[in-house]
Amino acid sequence: MLATGDLRWGICGVTQRSGKIAALLDPQDCRYTVLERGPDAALPRVVSTLCGVLDGSADPSAVVALLAREDIRIITLTVTEKGYRHDPATGDLNLADPEIAADLTDRPPRTVVGQLSRGLQRRAEGGAGPVTVVSCDNLPANGRTLRRLVEQFIDAAGAPQLAAWVAERVRFPSTMVDRIVPATTAEDLVEVRERTGLRDEAAVVAEPFRQWVIEDDFATDRPRWELAGAVLVDDVEPWETLKLRVLNASHSMLAYLGLGAGYGTIAEAVADPLLADACRKLITSEVVPALKAPSGVNVTEYGESVLVRFANPALRHTTAQVAQDGSQKLGPRLLDTASQLLATGAEPRWAALGVAAWMGHVGSARSLDDPLESVLRAALGGSPADEASRLLDIDQIFAPELARHPVFRTAVITTYRRLLEHGVRGVLAEDLRA
Ligand code: CS2
C-alpha cells in the first residue's frame, strides 16, 4: 500500500484455534507494531493493513461466509504444518482425523481444509468468482500440496461439481516465505512501549531479514507485492526446497541438539561451534548433493547466511519453540534429503543425527508439543534400540522404504544410543573429528 498508494486492498485476518489474537487486536483497531531486532533493524513501525480479525474458533460459519464474499480475491494461509491435518509421510489428507471427519458432516467446519473447501463451495454456489489460495507455510510444494488436500476433502464430501469449479476457478500458487518471528513475550511488549510510547498488546518481533518468493499464478488481479520486495517467479519449488532443507533443517537440528546440550535459544545453540559445524556438515555433505538449487544460488553461502541470522541474540528464539511439532517437520527438513542421498548410495549421517536428536527430545521432554504426542509416547520404553526402532516404525512420519533402509535405520539407532550414552557434545566432538 505504501509503495503503490493503492488503498483498495486490505487484509481481513482469521484466527483458527482461539480468539486470543482477535481480542488483542480488536481494541487497537487491528493495528500492531513490528519491532525488528538485530543489525540493520528498522525503526518500530505500526502496520495498518488489517481491516478486521475474525475469530474463527467462536464463529466458524462466519469464516465460510467471509471466504465466499465477492470482494475477497486472495486467501493466504499461515497455519503451521500441523494445521493442514495431513499425513506428513504421504501428503494425504488425514481422513481419520476426527475433526476432518466432523467437517465432512454438515457442522460448521472447524479445520483449515474444511473451512477452505466449504468457503469455496459457498463461493461457487453464490457466483462470487475466481479466487487465489496462497499457502505461506513450510511445506514442500505448498500450493500443490494444499490443492491436493482440498481436492481430497471435496472428493470425500462427494461433490464432483465443486471439484470441477475449483479446477477451473481457483489457483494455488506455491510460495516461499522467510522471516524469523519468535513468539511475542511480555518483555517484548514492555520494549515496544518504551521505544514507541504506545501500549501495544499485539506487537510482533522479527529479524530484519525478509523474503517472499511467489509463483506468479493468480486467478484475479493482485497487489503489486513486487514493488515491496517480493519476487514473482514461474517456479517456486527450488526456493521452497532450498529453504526447507537448509534453513528449516538447520533450525530443527539446532533445536534438538541444542535442547540436548542445554541451550535455551537458537542463538546460544549456534554459538557452540560443535553445533554450528554439524549444520555445516549437513548442508555441504548431504543437502548440496541432493538439492536442485534455484539458479544463481550458492547453497553453501546461503547456509552460512542462515547461520548468521540464527546467531542474532536479540531475537531470543527458543529452542523449545522450534522443537515443536517435530513429527510434522522432519519429513521436508531432513527425511527428503536422507532418502535422496540413500538413492545415490551415500550415507546420510548428519540427517540421521538430526533424526536421532529429535528422538532424544521425544524421549526426554516432560511435555511434548506435537500433534502425534500420544503415538510418540507409546513408542517409548525399553532399550534405546527398541525406542528408536519403534519411533522409526511410525509410518505417518517415516515412509516404510526409508525407515527400513538398513543404512539409515542403523545410523539412526546407533546415533540415538550414542547420544544417550555420551551426550550431544560428546557425539559431535567424535563425529566432527572423524
Ligand atoms: C522454524 C520456522 O519454528 C520453526 O520450525 O524453523 O518457523 C522458521 O523460523 C521460519 O520458517 C523462518 O522463515
Side-chain angles (χ1 to χ4, degrees):
M1 288 158 92
L2 283 174
T4 57
D6 178 0
L7 304 186
R8 291 170 309 157
W9 295 95
I11 299 171
C12 178
V14 174
T15 69
Q16 257 287 317
R17 289 183 303 156
S18 92
K20 194 174 145 229
I21 300 292
L24 295 178
L25 281 165
D26 215 37
Q28 34 187 81
D29 293 334
C30 294
R31 290 169 196 219
Y32 61 95
T33 311
V34 174
L35 177 69
E36 289 184 9
R37 282 216 192 107
D40 303 321
L43 290 172
R45 182 152 102 168
V46 175
V47 176
S48 52
T49 43
L50 276 178
C51 39
V53 182
L54 200 83
D55 174 5
S57 66
D59 192 358
S61 308
V63 180
V64 175
L66 176 73
L67 300 184
R69 268 172 50 171
E70 193 166 358
D71 56 354
I72 296 289
R73 301 290 168 82
I74 299 168
I75 303 167
T76 71
L77 289 88
T78 308
V79 296
T80 76
E81 296 86 344
K82 67 169 174 257
Y84 291 83
R85 292 180 192 266
H86 68 312
D87 184 345
T90 59
D92 286 334
L93 185 64
N94 186 356
L95 293 168
D97 179 303
E99 294 294 318
I100 294 282
D103 278 3
L104 284 163
T105 67
D106 53 10
R107 76 162 187 185
R110 291 195 164 271
T111 66
V112 172
V113 172
Q115 287 178 341
L116 185 56
S117 306
R118 297 296 182 202
L120 295 174
Q121 182 169 19
R122 183 81 65 81
R123 240 185 132 81
E125 289 160 3
V131 70
T132 305
V133 180
V134 187
S135 164
C136 296
D137 286 294
N138 288 322
L139 302 177
N142 53 15
R144 252 193 310 136
T145 302
L146 178 57
R147 173 196 287 274
R148 197 154 137 235
L149 298 177
V150 168
E151 286 168 356
Q152 289 175 341
F153 185 93
I154 293 173
D155 189 43
Q161 274 178 329
L162 176 61
W165 186 87
V166 169
E168 200 180 313
R169 313 301 285 270
V170 186
R171 301 286 169 81
F172 293 85
S174 284
T175 60
M176 182 269 247
V177 186
D178 187 9
R179 187 174 221 190
I180 298 173
V181 183
T184 304
T185 64
E187 297 83 72
D188 295 333
L189 299 184
V190 171
E191 185 179 334
V192 167
R193 190 166 187 170
E194 283 167 5
R195 303 230 353 231
T196 63
L198 298 168
R199 185 173 141 216
D200 180 349
E201 299 293 334
V204 172
V205 172
E207 64 174 336
F209 180 91
R210 60 180 172 171
Q211 187 177 31
W212 194 14
V213 187
I214 313 169
E215 207 163 85
D216 201 357
D217 180 22
F218 284 74
T220 63
D221 54 341
R222 58 164 176 81
R224 296 182 64 197
W225 287 309
E226 61 274 31
L227 295 183
V231 179
L232 284 117
V233 298
D234 290 337
D235 182 12
V236 161
E237 281 188 37
W239 291 99
E240 286 189 279
T241 319
L242 172 77
K243 185 197 168 199
L244 283 164
R245 295 192 190 176
V246 177
L247 185 149
N248 296 113
S250 315
H251 231 179
S252 290
M253 286 271 273
L254 289 169
Y256 299 125
L257 293 171
L259 283 167
Y263 298 122
T265 67
I266 294 290
E268 285 163 15
V270 79
D272 183 329
L274 291 176
L275 276 70
D277 282 346
C279 295
R280 292 193 174 95
K281 285 282 189 194
L282 171 77
I283 296 166
T284 53
S285 45
E286 299 182 1
V287 175
V288 168
L291 182 78
K292 182 179 154 268
S295 71
V297 174
N298 176 319
V299 179
T300 305
E301 279 168 23
Y302 172 81
E304 286 300 325
S305 71
V306 162
L307 296 182
V308 170
R309 286 167 56 198
F310 289 168
N312 180 347
L315 277 181
R316 297 196 284 273
H317 199 188
T318 64
T319 41
Q321 191 188 348
V322 179
Q324 286 169 13
D325 302 335
S327 67
Q328 316 293 302
K329 292 174 175 172
L330 286 185
R333 297 181 182 206
L334 292 168
L335 306 182
D336 289 348
T337 293
S339 301
Q340 273 184 287
L341 215 66
L342 288 165
T344 68
E347 180 189 351
R349 327 175 23 202
W350 299 98
L353 168 73
V355 173
W358 164 75
M359 291 179 170
H361 169 63
V362 170
S364 64
R366 236 176 281 136
S367 72
L368 201 56
D369 209 326
D370 195 296
L372 291 187
E373 179 187 354
S374 54
V375 179
L376 296 173
R377 290 226 183 269
L380 298 177
S383 72
D386 290 341
E387 287 193 334
S389 298
R390 272 190 246 107
L391 288 167
L392 280 167
D393 288 338
I394 301 176
D395 61 7
Q396 290 113 302
I397 306 175
F398 299 96
E401 315 81 79
L402 175 65
R404 287 197 210 116
H405 196 294
V407 174
F408 182 71
R409 199 170 179 93
T410 308
V412 172
I413 294 176
T414 314
T415 313
Y416 179 58
R417 185 182 41 72
R418 290 175 58 229
L419 284 171
L420 294 182
E421 277 169 18
H422 308 294
V424 164
R425 303 191 80 257
V427 169
L428 289 178
E430 200 176 308
D431 287 1
L432 287 164
R433 225 181 301 124

